[in-house]
Amino acid sequence: MGNRVVVGTDGSSSSLAAVETAAREAWRRRAELRVVYVLNWPVRPMYAPLDTTPLNRLVSEAADRARSVVPEVTVTETMVPGDTVSVLEAESRTADLLVVGARGTGGFLSMLLGSTAASLAAHSQCPVMVAREGSAAAGPIVLCVDGSPAGDKAVGFAFAEAALRGTEIAAVHVWLPDHAPAGTGVESPERLLAQALAGHAERHPDVTVRREVASGEAREVLIERSRNAQLVVVGARGRGGFTGLLLGSVSQALLHHAHSSVVVVPGHA
């Protein structure tokens, strides 16, 4: 990637919180921070002038907010016309991390319960962090482990992030006993979890990992675990996803309902 963190802003308090979060992420990575405002102009008469002065001020204020949080970070700012998802997806191609707020003013990220944030998480070429205001500064990184090949990218991201933050990982694998496949060769949940973590733990020996195997609905268990987390990391699609489904139901549920910030990691990141 381009050693760059990209953050979308729209002037809302949520997006400014995302800017602050993105500045800290850029500092941890020794990366450049790029502040992006997407111009979604409504239909207007051809003679109406395009006055971008207030928007220029809005982007500059967001960039200044980032510099005030971490003065050491190099910050650039830009306004780009177009569709929000398309613009930020293009930005993600040269980024290590894309950060957006959990709520917008209505024209940008709208409500997270809408489609924009989920679309970004599904189509981004890099991990997407949905930053929540009031997310805990301390606590573990909760890692959702399903044992899928695509989910391995999420495991790698969580270990790298834990090393950057100097915190531990709470690795959680959730299974439904009633849905376990029959037969004597079934892999135990404990073994699946251990295998998913093994190589990454060897590469990050200083990261403490707490393992948990829980039974129940994955969405409910992981949302509950997010209460005491500073971050939740999940893959875009899980082992149980339908072919062609870009964002799994667990990932979507966490985007909507987690109490902490959430990172969705695509399988190709």
Side-chain angles (χ1 to χ4, degrees):
M1 294 293 183
N3 197 32
R4 173 184 295 168
V5 173
V6 173
V7 60
T9 186
D10 63 4
S12 66
S13 61
S14 179
S15 76
L16 290 176
V19 167
E20 295 180 1
T21 297
R24 296 185 185 98
E25 290 296 327
W27 176 77
R28 292 184 181 112
R29 291 165 168 74
R30 294 182 171 86
E32 168 195 332
L33 177 63
R34 180 171 168 85
V35 180
V36 179
Y37 184 96
V38 181
L39 285 165
N40 289 309
W41 284 105
V43 177
R44 58 188 176 80
M46 292 183 62
Y47 56 79
L50 254 177
D51 182 8
T52 60
T53 303
L55 299 179
N56 284 321
R57 186 179 304 115
L58 182 152
V59 178
S60 295
E61 288 174 353
D64 289 342
R65 175 75 68 94
R67 296 184 185 100
S68 70
V69 172
V70 188
E72 300 87 351
V73 171
T74 299
V75 182
T76 61
E77 58 201 73
T78 186
M79 290 193 302
V80 183
D83 169 72
T84 301
V85 174
S86 298
V87 169
L88 292 180
E89 187 276 333
E91 292 283 342
S92 76
R93 297 174 191 173
T94 57
D96 297 301
L97 181 67
L98 173 62
V99 184
V100 294
R103 295 286 186 272
T105 60
F108 180 60
L109 277 185
S110 182
M111 292 291 287
L112 186 57
L113 297 180
S115 61
T116 303
S119 294
L120 283 173
H123 295 285
S124 175
Q125 301 302 303
C126 71
V128 176
M129 176 182 289
V130 177
R132 272 190 170 78
E133 294 180 86
S135 188
I141 291 176
V142 170
L143 168 62
C144 312
V145 179
D146 64 8
S148 67
D152 186 62
K153 296 294 184 181
V155 177
F157 179 93
F159 271 89
E161 187 72 16
L164 290 171
R165 293 183 179 221
T167 193
E168 67 178 13
I169 291 175
V172 184
H173 174 61
V174 187
W175 68 302
L176 284 171
D178 292 342
H179 292 85
T184 57
V186 177
E187 186 176 40
S188 73
E190 291 79 9
R191 180 174 175 79
L192 182 150
L193 179 56
Q195 289 181 336
L197 300 174
H200 299 281
E202 292 170 2
R203 286 190 289 273
H204 296 277
D206 295 333
V207 174
T208 299
V209 183
R210 292 188 286 108
R211 303 178 189 176
E212 178 187 359
V213 172
S215 61
E217 288 287 348
R219 287 169 288 188
E220 296 176 5
V221 172
L222 295 169
I223 289 169
E224 180 61 30
R225 298 299 183 275
S226 75
R227 289 183 183 276
N228 300 315
Q230 59 177 286
L231 188 67
V232 173
V233 177
V234 63
R237 284 187 59 232
R239 183 186 288 269
F242 292 102
T243 301
L245 186 64
L246 294 177
L247 194 64
S249 60
V250 173
S251 305
Q252 291 195 50
L254 286 167
L255 285 177
H256 295 172
H257 303 297
H259 302 279
S260 66
S261 298
V262 176
V263 174
V264 178
V265 183
H268 51 73

